[in-house]
Amino acid sequence: ADLVAFATDELEAAVQVFHVRGGRVRGQRGSVVEKTGDAVESADELAVLVEQFLTQFYGEQVAIADDDSEPVTVVPREVLVPVLPPDAEQVQQWLSDLRGSAVHLRVPQRGDKKALAETVQRNAMEALAQHKLKRAGDLNARSAALQGIQDALDLDSAPLRIECIDVSHVQGTDVVASLVVFEDALPRKSDYRHYAIREAAGDGRSDDVASIAEVTRRRFLRMKADDAAPEKSAPERPRRFAYPPNLFVVDGGAPQVAAAAEVLDELGITDVAVIGLAKRLEEVWVPGEP
């Protein structure tokens, strides 16, 4: 059997696998991965993580085995997980097909398997705790990185909050924008946003430039609205966007940066630095500079 366990926080998941062969633990593997959007947004996060891990882990193992001249049995007769994935029967059949004989996908309920599963779970929790300690120890490195951005862009202060906009086309027609947020140099996924572009098509500018202008206006109008809301309403509504980022990053070069800067000027916002990232040549663009 293989026994799989997870420990998670808001951003990451630690996974541990114990390989039991001939009645003994013959090996173990562990890693910490960033949780994908599907897992973060799912009500049954653990079940989604289980499915994602099983398909990736055993798919990769079989691919490695196929490249080997010696036959390798990479899928055991039994795979024990903390919860069943959403499509448990389909995943079980896929594992059986990989193995070439029946594989049972189960949640251990009692006895030695249950006790060993608890051990694997403790290992996963310890691995995540150690990872978080190391991440906390990286505070000095993160501070130095923010200082480096401040110096490179000649900002008044280190950009403790950074917001970034990327515009993309869905199925060739619908235009959407994604807003991602970093605080203290770490992703703040609870503040991520998606915008359906509503008005840019008739703007007269290119899609990307007009979309950047629309999203910038909507984001900072929201800030002004939150800022003007009565204090007594604070417990009733989120106020995460009631304060500006130190640095606003747009996807693109001079035209996109100019569009965002023009909106900020129009709204009377003077304390937000704007830059553009042009991915093709990894260029950084600053308003008004060649």
Side-chain angles (χ1 to χ4, degrees):
D2 283 351
L3 292 93
V4 184
F6 296 85
T8 68
D9 65 8
E10 183 183 354
L11 297 175
E12 295 169 306
V15 58
Q16 288 280 313
V17 187
F18 276 27
H19 304 289
V20 179
R21 303 292 186 270
R24 297 188 176 206
V25 177
R26 298 294 185 182
Q28 71 180 90
R29 306 183 194 198
S31 62
V32 178
V33 297
E34 183 174 326
K35 293 195 292 192
T36 67
D38 290 343
V40 172
E41 296 169 8
S42 170
D44 199 354
E45 174 188 280
L46 184 55
V48 173
L49 284 172
V50 168
E51 181 166 337
Q52 290 175 344
F53 172 77
L54 294 179
T55 53
Q56 180 177 349
F57 178 75
Y58 289 109
E60 289 178 352
Q61 295 305 306
V62 169
I64 293 171
D66 286 344
D67 290 338
D68 201 328
S69 57
E70 295 293 326
V72 180
T73 304
V74 294
V75 184
R77 288 192 300 269
E78 198 170 27
V79 178
L80 304 175
V81 292
V83 298
L84 290 176
D87 300 316
E89 290 186 8
Q90 184 177 345
V91 174
Q92 180 172 274
Q93 184 58 53
W94 176 74
L95 291 170
S96 299
D97 292 344
L98 289 182
R99 177 179 168 83
S101 60
V103 173
H104 300 288
L105 181 63
R106 294 175 176 153
V107 177
Q109 301 293 333
R110 62 185 66 85
D112 291 343
K113 293 176 182 177
K114 173 73 169 174
L116 186 54
E118 291 171 352
T119 299
V120 183
Q121 174 66 31
R122 285 195 297 271
N123 273 38
M125 294 171 64
E126 178 65 21
L128 182 62
Q130 291 293 333
H131 176 75
K132 290 171 71 174
L133 280 174
K134 180 179 182 299
R135 192 171 66 188
D138 289 340
L139 177 60
N140 289 339
R142 297 204 309 272
S143 297
L146 291 176
Q147 182 67 51
I149 294 176
Q150 177 185 348
D151 294 342
L153 299 177
D154 196 23
L155 304 178
D156 293 335
S157 59
L160 299 182
R161 182 177 173 101
I162 302 173
E163 296 181 9
C164 314
I165 291 178
D166 188 18
V167 175
S168 58
H169 297 258
V170 179
Q171 297 178 344
T173 54
D174 296 331
V175 183
V176 298
S178 300
L179 177 82
V180 300
V181 180
F182 293 85
E183 285 197 350
D184 296 329
L186 291 175
R188 187 177 178 86
K189 294 194 174 183
S190 62
D191 282 11
Y192 284 18
R193 294 290 184 272
H194 286 96
Y195 296 86
I197 303 301
R198 301 189 294 238
E199 305 161 4
D203 189 276
R205 295 180 280 189
S206 73
D207 283 350
D208 283 355
V209 173
S211 299
I212 290 291
E214 178 182 328
V215 176
T216 303
R217 181 173 289 104
R218 287 166 63 182
R219 186 266 175 267
F220 287 98
L221 282 175
R222 167 68 184 274
M223 180 192 82
K224 284 178 166 287
D226 277 358
D227 201 32
E231 191 63 34
K232 64 181 181 181
S233 68
E236 301 170 12
R237 57 183 295 182
R239 303 288 297 276
R240 294 179 182 128
F241 291 92
Y243 57 93
N246 305 101
L247 180 62
F248 194 63
V249 182
V250 301
D251 175 34
Q256 287 81 3
V257 172
E262 182 180 327
V263 170
L264 293 180
D265 288 342
E266 173 190 316
L267 297 176
I269 296 171
T270 59
D271 56 350
V272 176
V274 182
I275 64 167
L277 289 182
K279 289 192 283 280
R280 188 172 66 87
L281 297 176
E282 297 294 335
E283 295 167 331
V284 177
W285 288 84
V286 179
E289 293 190 15

